[in-house]
Every structure is written in structure tokens, then in C-alpha cells.
Amino acid sequence: MSNPLDKLLNFAHRSYVRMEAEQLILECLELEDLAPFNDMLEKLVLAGATSLYLIREVLEEVLSAKSILNQEGLGVRQDLMDAFSEFGVNVPELLYADGPEAFQQIYHQNIKQHINAVAPNLLAGDEALLQEICSDASERVVNIARRLSLLNILEDAARDWMSSLAYEMIRSGGLEDDTYSKPTLH
């Protein structure tokens, strides 16, 4: 049976790795460079099958970041729907579609034609403002889609390494006890 202090230290170490992963994910998204994250994964993998639990924590951070971005995308869609509603313009069917494609289509379609067709009496200033709102929403969604794409790459890498380490753990007969060694990240 493990010592309660060992369990506490293992928990603290997993928490530290998770916070480190969170910071690296933010850095990777900001710089659009996945190298720091991949370096962290590489160090964990080189520590062996015992770091499987830590990579799982890293994966959980990636999934959390994806969830936050998906919520942000839904917020952009809702903001755009609210803007159309405030101007008394029927919401284009495209806004009910899933994903960033809907916003791209709105942005690339002639939104002026849609606005004129459903609200011909809209003032020119309101029309221009609505077009700017659509343009801004499109740019925001493109940014979200780009970050989600990077997160998908990070997720795939973490899942691949988890599978490889799980295979290695099974092949080698598993862990001797319920603890694992503490691979270093630096």
C-alpha cells in the first residue's frame, strides 16, 4: 500500500504537469508554434510507460482548451444572430449550419443582397454596420478555426503517444505498483 505522502506528491506532480501543459498550449496557440508542446510530450515519452498518467493529464488540458474555443465559436454565432435580430433582418439559413463554414459563406456571399432582399428599407448606415459585424464575426471564427486546428494536432499527438505508451506498459507487464516515477520536464 502506498504512503499517503506519496499519493499527495503524485497528485501535486500531476497538477504541476497539467498547469505546465495549460501554459504551453496557450503559448503554442499564440505563437502558432507546436514545438514547445511537442518537446514536453517528448520528455514525458522518454521517461517511459510510467508517464502515461501524465500524458493523460496533458490530453485533458488540450480537450479543455478545445471546449473553450468551441464555446467561443458558439458565442460568435449568437452575437451575429442577435445583431441580425436587432436590425430586424431575418437570420440567414447559413447561421444555423455548423462550424466556421457558415460564417465564411456569409462573409463571402454578397451579404448586401441578402440584407436588401429581406430588409429593403434598412438605412445605408445600418446596412454598412451589419456588413462590418458580419466581417468581424468571420475574422473571429477564422481565428477560432485556426486555433482549433492546432489543438487537433496537439490532441492527435497526445493520443498517439498515450496509445504507444499503453502498448509498451502492457507488453512489459504493467507497473509494479500503483505509483509511477516522476519524469522531469526540464
Side-chain angles (χ1 to χ4, degrees):
M1 182 171 188
S2 292
N3 180 346
L5 183 57
D6 288 340
K7 288 183 180 183
L8 180 62
L9 289 173
N10 284 337
F11 175 76
H13 186 64
R14 284 194 320 267
S15 296
Y16 170 78
V17 168
R18 196 164 179 151
M19 287 188 307
E20 183 77 16
E22 179 183 21
Q23 287 302 109
L24 286 174
I25 290 167
L26 292 174
E27 180 182 324
C28 289
L29 294 179
E30 184 177 317
L31 301 174
E32 295 185 4
D33 178 15
L34 305 181
F37 184 87
N38 288 327
D39 290 344
M40 179 187 66
L41 274 181
E42 181 180 316
K43 289 174 184 171
L44 290 172
V45 169
L46 289 175
T50 58
S51 64
L52 180 63
Y53 302 112
L54 297 176
I55 294 176
R56 184 172 178 267
E57 294 293 329
V58 170
L59 177 61
E60 288 298 320
E61 276 306 312
V62 172
L63 295 175
S64 176
K66 283 180 65 173
S67 177
I68 291 168
L69 278 179
N70 283 322
Q71 289 299 316
E72 189 178 330
L74 290 174
V76 170
R77 179 188 304 209
Q78 187 60 49
D79 291 347
L80 192 54
M81 291 174 79
D82 291 346
F84 272 90
S85 178
E86 284 181 27
F87 286 104
V89 175
N90 290 334
V91 176
E93 290 291 321
L94 293 171
L95 280 184
Y96 295 109
D98 286 333
E101 297 83 22
F103 296 100
Q104 287 302 320
Q105 290 176 11
I106 288 171
Y107 180 67
H108 291 297
Q109 273 190 350
N110 189 347
I111 195 70
K112 188 174 186 174
Q113 284 179 340
H114 174 77
I115 294 169
N116 285 336
V118 296
N121 298 329
L122 194 62
L123 299 173
D126 289 345
E127 183 180 322
L129 181 58
L130 194 53
Q131 286 178 352
E132 180 151 341
I133 290 170
C134 288
S135 177
D136 179 59
S138 177
E139 289 173 19
R140 289 171 56 197
V141 167
V142 166
N143 187 29
I144 290 169
R146 183 174 48 249
R147 291 184 289 162
L148 278 172
S149 176
L150 292 172
L151 286 173
N152 286 334
I153 294 168
L154 297 179
E155 178 185 2
D156 289 345
R159 287 187 187 279
D160 286 348
W161 284 118
M162 278 183 62
S163 296
S164 298
L165 288 175
Y167 171 79
E168 180 62 29
M169 187 188 319
I170 291 168
R171 191 176 70 83
S172 69
L175 297 176
E176 289 78 34
D177 57 19
D178 289 338
T179 63
Y180 56 90
S181 62
K182 297 173 188 137
T184 57
L185 296 178
H186 300 292

